Amino acid sequence: MIFDAARAAAGRLFSPEFRAVFLKTLGITLLALVASWFGLYKLFDALALPWIDALLPGFPAWAGWLGLIAAIFAGVGLALGLALLIAPVTALVAGLFLDDIAEVVERTDYPADPPGRALPIVPAIVMTLKFLGVVIVANILALFLLLVPGINIGAFFVVNGYLLGREFFEFAAMRFRPEADAKALRRKYAGTVFMAGLVIAAFLAVPLLNLLTPLFAAAMMVHLHKAVAARELSLARPERVAVGAGVGLTG
């Protein structure tokens, strides 16, 4: 189910049906990342530069190389900070466009199925903000774990795999079922959803391609939810047949 869903989502990324939502998602993601980078730069300028000036007042000639090294480290730090912001930005953008993405997938790949319902605006905003906060806290934790040998890179994949898998699957499921049922279905297929989240985290780790993470993740989880729902239906059918046979015998 996981690889079928990932392949189906990747195959649709650049299709004509996805073009409008593709451009909106990419544009908003880029704008949010640029705004985040300027925010990081201003934060560095306000907090780090005064400390450097105090340590090396006036940057005399002998400190030129130190200043260059400090600038290099600052650039690397800003780049790492921006990389860690991609996951929260992905969460925010996905919350804005999940229903648009889901509608395209459902209309083009499942035309015979009943369409899902867009989430009401207030619950959608609440869920998006909650997800954004959880992703930010989790990635701060992952940042600290980067300092622990043997855990660092794995922490990024485990944290984002779990969170992205959980939230994107529940978003897709809630188009067809109440929130409590969506959470119960996600818990029942927790291993499958987590493995799908790891695929999304791997997508997120690829430079430039990760700008399309909201589009890929939302489309993939729509496909995965469809597959899980079909499995649930097939498992329920034998029970209905057995019940019907029992009723027929007693009658």
Side-chain angles (χ1 to χ4, degrees):
M1 287 192 296
I2 295 170
F3 292 111
D4 287 344
R7 185 170 59 250
R12 283 288 184 191
L13 285 180
F14 303 103
S15 66
E17 296 86 359
F18 260 63
R19 189 165 295 144
V21 69
F22 167 85
L23 293 174
K24 286 191 294 184
T25 302
L26 182 60
I28 295 294
T29 302
L30 285 172
L31 287 174
L33 286 173
V34 169
S36 300
W37 189 90
F38 276 107
L40 282 176
Y41 178 80
K42 291 297 183 183
L43 188 64
F44 174 82
D45 191 42
L47 298 180
L49 286 185
W51 181 82
I52 294 174
D53 282 337
L55 183 65
L56 302 170
F59 283 105
W62 60 267
W65 284 104
L66 292 177
L68 178 60
I69 292 172
I72 292 173
F73 274 105
V76 171
L78 287 172
L80 288 174
L82 187 62
L84 289 170
L85 282 171
I86 289 178
V89 168
T90 293
L92 181 61
V93 174
L96 296 174
F97 295 108
L98 176 70
D99 285 314
D100 292 345
I101 298 166
E103 285 173 8
V104 173
V105 174
E106 292 165 7
R107 184 175 65 251
T108 54
D109 292 339
Y110 306 95
D113 293 355
R117 294 180 297 103
L119 295 179
I121 185 65
V122 174
I125 292 174
V126 170
M127 285 191 66
T128 298
L129 292 178
K130 182 187 74 173
F131 183 27
L132 180 64
V134 170
V135 170
I136 290 174
V137 171
N139 277 275
I140 291 173
L141 175 61
L143 176 61
F144 284 113
L145 290 175
L146 287 174
L147 305 175
V148 182
I151 296 179
N152 40 35
I153 301 301
F156 171 86
F157 285 99
V158 170
V159 168
N160 284 294
Y162 173 73
L163 289 173
L164 294 174
R166 184 187 74 178
E167 298 299 329
F168 275 105
F169 183 83
E170 289 183 4
F171 269 135
M174 285 174 60
R175 286 178 55 82
F176 294 91
R177 60 192 77 226
E179 182 178 357
D181 292 349
K183 290 181 181 295
L185 187 65
R186 191 262 306 166
R187 285 192 293 268
K188 182 175 181 179
Y189 290 88
T192 300
V193 173
F194 174 65
M195 294 300 293
L198 289 179
V199 174
I200 297 173
F203 194 95
L204 185 68
V206 180
L208 298 181
L209 191 62
N210 55 15
L211 296 175
L212 301 178
T213 302
L215 194 65
F216 172 77
M220 179 182 175
M221 284 307 187
V222 169
H223 287 295
L224 186 64
H225 174 258
K226 285 285 186 180
V228 166
R231 175 173 291 186
E232 286 290 291
L233 185 61
S234 68
L235 291 174
R237 277 173 181 160
E239 297 174 5
R240 291 175 183 172
V241 170
V243 170
V247 171
L249 288 171
T250 57

